[in-house]
């Protein structure tokens, strides 16, 4: 009996260190909150019912693609699942979500979105953070070319973006 308990504790610690058990519990909670059966989630994601069951029980560590399909079906953030699965760091998730919100905002145009992302990157660099893997790199390319990628003074941030291209405007 003691060996079984010890084996159970060891298995739990190994699974917890992989963060897979935590992911499985979270997915089960989200699935139940969405009032979906495991079979319904399997149909919605294209992932087999047994495989989803193994993920929920902490026996399998799913790929990023599987997590993305599950997140889409449950209408939750894929980045949150990536963090829980140990694929993505918490800071990276926050950065990606910030970028996603900016890019998804229909009230601002593409040029304004790019300017906001450049300003965001410059503030992150100023505070000691390096832009994440999904940063468009434009600010970095500007800095490497000798341009000023840092924050601008005043309320006209990005106002000269069109002037650089057309000196007659």
């Amino acid at each position: 009996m003691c060996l079984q308990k010890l084996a159970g504790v060891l298995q739990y610690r190994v699974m917890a260190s992989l963060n897979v058990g935590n992911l499985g519990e979270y997915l089960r909670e989200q699935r139940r909150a969405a009032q979906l059966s495991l079979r319904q989630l399997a149909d919605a994601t294209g992932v087999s019912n047994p495989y989803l069951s193994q993920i929920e029980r902490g026996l399998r560590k799913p790929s990023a693609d599987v997590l993305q399909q599950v997140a889409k079906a449950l209408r939750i953030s894929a980045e949150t699942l990536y963090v829980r699965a140990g694929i993505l760091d918490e800071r990276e998730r926050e950065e990606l979500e910030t970028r996603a919100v900016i890019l998804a905002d229909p009230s601002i145009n593409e040029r304004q979105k790019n300017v906001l992302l450049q300003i965001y990157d410059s503030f992150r660099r100023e505070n000691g953070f390096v832009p994440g893997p999904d940063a468009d790199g434009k600010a970095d390319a500007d800095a490497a070319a000798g341009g000023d990628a840092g924050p601008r003074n005043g309320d006209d941030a990005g106002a000269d973006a069109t002037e650089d291209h057309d000196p007659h405007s």
Side-chain angles (χ1 to χ4, degrees), residues 9-139:
V9 168
L10 288 174
Q11 182 181 10
Y12 175 77
R13 286 187 179 170
V14 168
M15 297 308 283
S17 70
L18 293 174
N19 215 10
V20 176
N22 187 14
L23 171 67
E25 292 169 17
Y26 180 76
L27 284 176
R28 183 178 295 119
E29 290 171 10
Q30 295 302 309
R31 179 178 57 79
R32 288 180 177 162
Q35 299 180 337
L36 291 174
S37 70
L38 203 52
R39 189 172 308 278
Q40 289 170 320
L41 182 59
D43 289 342
T45 61
V47 177
S48 76
N49 186 8
Y51 188 65
L52 287 175
S53 175
Q54 291 174 348
I55 294 169
E56 282 191 0
R57 290 182 287 141
L59 301 175
R60 296 281 185 166
K61 185 171 182 179
S63 69
D65 290 336
V66 168
L67 290 174
Q68 186 173 15
Q69 288 302 108
V70 170
K72 187 175 179 182
L74 293 174
R75 296 183 180 166
I76 59 176
S77 163
E79 288 80 12
T80 299
L81 296 184
Y82 296 159
V83 169
R84 289 185 176 267
I87 295 172
L88 188 65
D89 181 79
E90 181 68 25
R91 283 190 224 148
E92 292 172 324
R93 178 190 66 85
E94 291 169 357
E95 179 186 355
L96 288 173
E97 287 180 350
T98 300
R99 290 178 176 287
V101 168
I102 291 170
L103 292 171
D105 189 335
S107 67
I108 58 177
N109 65 38
E110 292 303 310
R111 184 186 65 79
Q112 292 167 331
K113 291 175 186 180
N114 286 331
V115 169
L116 274 175
L117 289 174
Q118 288 175 16
I119 292 168
Y120 176 67
D121 286 342
S122 72
F123 284 148
R124 287 181 54 83
R125 273 193 301 277
E126 185 177 306
N127 293 328
F129 294 99
V130 178
D134 282 354
D136 66 3
K138 184 174 182 337

